[in-house]
Structures are given as C-alpha cells and as structure tokens.
Amino acid sequence: MPKRGKKYQDAVKLYDKAQLFDVDEAFALVVKTGSAKFDETVEAHFRLGVDGRHADQQVRGAIVLPHGTGKSKKVLVFAKGEKLHEAEAAGADYAGGEELAEKIKTENWFDFDVVVATPDMMGVVGKLGKILGPKGLMPSPKSGTVTPNLTQALSEIKAGKVEYRLDKTNIIHTPIGKVSFGPEKLAENFNALKDAIIKAKPAAAKGQYIKSCTVAATMGPGVKLNPQKL
C-alpha cells in the first residue's frame, strides 16, 4: 500500500471514513479535502445491485450535467459528404473517415476524448472495436454518439455531457465537475447523474439497486453517501 501524503492524512482526520453522509454534507467535505495545487476533478462512484454480465442488467447512458464537467473535450467525428461539413461547422476537433480510422490503427493515435459517428460510418468504426472498446471510446446509440444529428451531439458533448456505464465489477465511475465548482454545483451535477442512473434501472434488477456510493476529489479521500437517502 503506497504511503499517503500529509495533505491526504490531514484530510482523513476531518471526518470518520466509515460515516455515511447526506449529499450536501458530502460535497462540503469533498471541497474541504480537495487541497491540491491544481483544480481537482470530482468523481462519483456508484456500486449497483446488478450483474452486468447479463445483457438485461446492463446500465449505460449519457447525460448533460447542469454545470458541465469543467473540462473541454476533444471530439473526433466519423462522417462523410454533407455530414462532414456539419461536423466541422458544429465544432468537431477532428472529422473524417477511413483515413482517421487508419491513423488510429497504424499510429496509435488517441488525441481525442469522445468519438461520434453517423450510422452510415459504423462499418468503418466497427473495425476499430477492439481498439476503441477497451478505452471506452466506442460510439454507441445508447450514449447518443451514433447519430445523424451531429450538431446536437457535439453541442451536448461540449456543454458537459458525460457517459456512464458499468465496469466489470458493477461500479459506475463518472466525473461530475471540479473542486472549484463548490458544494452546491457539485451536488446539482451529482443529483442529475444519480437520477439518470436510477431511471436506467434494468427491469431485471432485484433487491437494493444502489448498494453504495462514494464521491472524491482526485487527490482526496473518498466520502461515503447514505444509499438509503439517494
């Protein structure tokens, strides 16, 4: 176990790590314990009572956070013809077709945060599944990244749209802002994400849905929320 720094040790002393907090209390603590010299990202971690190995228990989607994420995202769009011009006009950082797919394959190029594709380009993008999939970059209709409406997709991504999906341990990890947002804006972003995850509850999920939830800044300790109150 790596030794934690002094700031982390001091932050831990501010509260009982086993205690469960309300949303407002939790984010007041996250902001108080986010003491790094840079503007730390705040993440929410939801452990769900589902088994993501079954297709009917997958939880995945996307939401535009009320206050964005505090990070501007680079977007790569796969499109052709008129849609290529639409992507460029809507603010795509990169837009193209086969040549960009080839660049990813041969040059290990990943200078982008999100991939968007028009439906007619999925034949090209599908061949990149083994490369983009493990990095969480594969476009999907569920997250709104396979769409003919590129203007809307790019507008939402640039405004702070985040994708949420289960990992192999049935946990969702999603950034919800920066420490500089303050407790109120972080709580509003968190509640928007929580509501979306609850709305996405699979019909096949039985028992308690949100098993546990922790929020934390990049360098700070985790603060546990009371799942019964979410």
Side-chain angles (χ1 to χ4, degrees):
M1 190 87 179
K3 193 174 185 300
R4 298 286 193 174
K6 185 178 183 301
K7 283 185 179 176
Y8 182 94
Q9 302 287 1
D10 291 343
V12 169
K13 291 173 189 170
L14 292 173
Y15 66 100
D16 176 2
K17 279 197 82 178
Q19 189 176 340
L20 300 176
F21 294 92
D22 290 345
V23 172
D24 293 343
E25 295 171 326
F27 285 106
L29 268 173
V30 167
V31 170
K32 198 172 180 181
T33 57
S35 56
K37 289 178 181 174
F38 62 94
D39 193 7
E40 296 176 59
T41 295
V42 178
E43 283 199 350
H45 310 274
F46 291 85
R47 186 166 66 87
L48 302 183
V50 296
D51 186 346
R53 290 174 300 178
H54 301 290
D56 63 351
Q57 293 189 48
Q58 266 297 328
V59 180
R60 181 177 184 180
I63 179 175
V64 178
L65 297 175
H67 304 288
T69 61
K71 182 189 178 213
S72 58
K73 290 185 174 179
K74 283 189 181 179
V75 185
L76 163 62
V77 176
F78 282 99
K80 61 186 175 187
E82 281 302 311
K83 288 295 175 185
L84 198 55
H85 301 306
E86 182 186 338
E88 288 164 350
D93 297 275
Y94 308 101
E98 293 273 8
E99 74 285 1
L100 292 180
E102 197 58 31
K103 189 172 182 180
I104 291 169
K105 276 193 280 194
T106 58
E107 297 177 28
N108 201 29
W109 174 67
F110 289 104
D111 186 28
F112 47 86
D113 305 298
V114 183
V115 181
V116 176
T118 52
D120 61 351
M121 291 299 289
M122 284 311 290
V124 173
V125 181
K127 294 172 187 172
L128 298 171
K130 287 183 179 174
I131 303 170
L132 298 178
K135 293 181 179 288
L137 290 169
M138 193 65 185
S140 145
K142 275 193 176 177
S143 61
T145 46
V146 176
T147 175
N149 192 341
L150 298 178
T151 303
Q152 182 185 342
L154 281 153
S155 166
E156 290 178 348
I157 291 164
K158 296 289 185 180
K161 185 177 187 177
V162 293
E163 191 176 342
Y164 57 87
R165 62 187 298 181
L166 285 179
D167 68 7
K168 288 177 182 174
T169 59
N170 301 315
I171 297 175
I172 287 173
H173 311 270
T174 308
I176 53 167
K178 299 282 188 180
V179 166
S180 61
F181 283 20
E184 283 182 24
K185 286 184 178 178
L186 286 169
E188 285 173 21
N189 275 359
F190 171 84
N191 283 327
L193 173 65
K194 174 205 69 175
D195 291 348
I197 290 171
I198 290 172
K199 201 173 173 184
K201 180 181 178 180
K206 304 295 180 211
Q208 188 177 341
Y209 181 49
I210 297 179
K211 293 273 194 182
S212 65
C213 180
T214 304
V215 291
T218 309
M219 307 296 287
V223 178
K224 293 177 182 175
L225 283 91
N226 186 344
Q228 305 294 342
K229 294 189 177 181
L230 295 179

